[in-house]
Amino acid sequence: MGPAHAASGLAVGALTLGVAATHLGIDRPLEQLAWVVAWGGFAYLPDLDQKGSTAGSMWGPPTRWLSRLIGVLARRHRGGTHDALVAPVVFGGLAALAARNHWTALAVLALGIGLALHAVAQLVPGDAEKTAVGNLALSAAGAWWLTDHGVHLPWLPWAVAGGVLVHVAGDALTTDGIPVPLTSWARRRPRTVGLRLFDAGRGPEPLLQYLVFPALTVLGLVRHVGPVRDLLAPLV
């Protein structure tokens, strides 16, 4: 489900901060924050393929139209957007094109922030992030504030592709599985593969969502983000 996808994305984003610092130069706290939040949001992105999904209602008509377009291109829920090979490349490639321009990169970052907020809204005080206007305002303001304070976005395609891959890996654990790679667009109803360990939203998912993934996120932040390490290291 959406919250578990976002939680897993946040965890992987935090745990990859060391690699991001070495290979992408993401070593300042604000850039690290943007990186982790982007992974959390884009780990929810593939579910925009479902008509009437909660992710599609995030910003009202704009995201509903985007969701319908993605759904048509994906051919079905858990179709093309859940192809473990094609989806990260396509979404990452689109993000790479967007990253060439300041405003389109800003819009993609805002989408990632909005998806992250929407997915974890139950854990955020207040209701602003649950409304279309409120979520859009918070997401746009957050993206503008981060870039206005020196966060550059050449790494955006990696966060998008990585978040999508985390989503696909999560769905591969569930009973519905994911399409066999490279068949999702070739066949109307492609065969599926996966570990099929539990139904979505059931089994160990609450434990992963509320305990395991948050613990891994904190671990990654303490390990790699100086201010967080100074604040939490004595407790951890």
Side-chain angles (χ1 to χ4, degrees):
M1 305 298 287
H5 281 306
S8 65
L10 292 171
V12 177
L15 293 172
T16 55
L17 281 170
V19 176
T22 301
H23 297 285
L24 299 173
I26 300 173
D27 54 7
R28 296 189 305 114
L30 278 184
E31 289 180 323
Q32 293 171 317
L33 170 66
W35 171 264
V36 173
V37 171
W39 273 76
F42 294 122
Y44 194 18
L45 179 62
D47 277 350
L48 280 175
D49 66 350
Q50 190 174 17
K51 183 179 179 181
S53 67
T54 54
S57 65
M58 181 177 73
W59 290 346
T63 44
R64 276 199 294 270
W65 296 332
L66 178 63
S67 179
R68 288 174 184 171
L69 174 62
I70 291 175
V72 170
L73 295 176
R75 306 193 73 179
R76 58 191 283 272
H77 179 48
R78 292 206 187 189
T81 61
H82 290 66
D83 187 305
L85 296 178
V86 176
V89 172
V90 171
F91 280 119
L94 292 172
L97 292 175
R100 293 169 177 255
N101 177 273
H102 172 75
W103 294 107
T104 51
L106 198 70
V108 172
L109 179 60
L111 178 64
I113 295 172
L115 286 167
L117 281 173
H118 191 75
V120 301
Q122 56 188 319
L123 303 178
V124 180
D127 295 322
E129 74 284 348
K130 300 175 186 176
T131 66
V133 174
N135 186 290
L136 177 58
L138 288 171
S139 304
W144 173 84
W145 185 83
L146 286 168
T147 55
D148 190 56
H149 284 73
V151 173
H152 302 290
L153 301 175
W155 49 262
L156 204 54
W158 296 103
V160 172
V164 169
L165 192 58
V166 169
H167 181 109
V168 174
D171 277 349
L173 300 177
T174 66
T175 52
D176 288 336
I178 58 173
V180 174
L182 302 178
T183 68
S184 50
W185 273 287
R187 300 176 60 181
R188 178 64 181 172
R189 294 190 176 278
R191 294 174 57 193
T192 60
V193 295
L195 297 179
R196 307 185 194 281
L197 299 179
F198 53 88
D199 291 339
R202 299 180 181 273
E205 185 169 324
L207 178 66
L208 294 170
Q209 176 183 330
Y210 292 110
L211 182 61
V212 176
F213 293 145
L216 292 174
T217 302
V218 171
L219 208 62
L221 294 176
V222 170
R223 175 68 179 84
H224 299 292
V225 183
V228 177
R229 181 169 59 248
D230 295 341
L231 180 65
L232 296 181
L235 299 176
V236 176

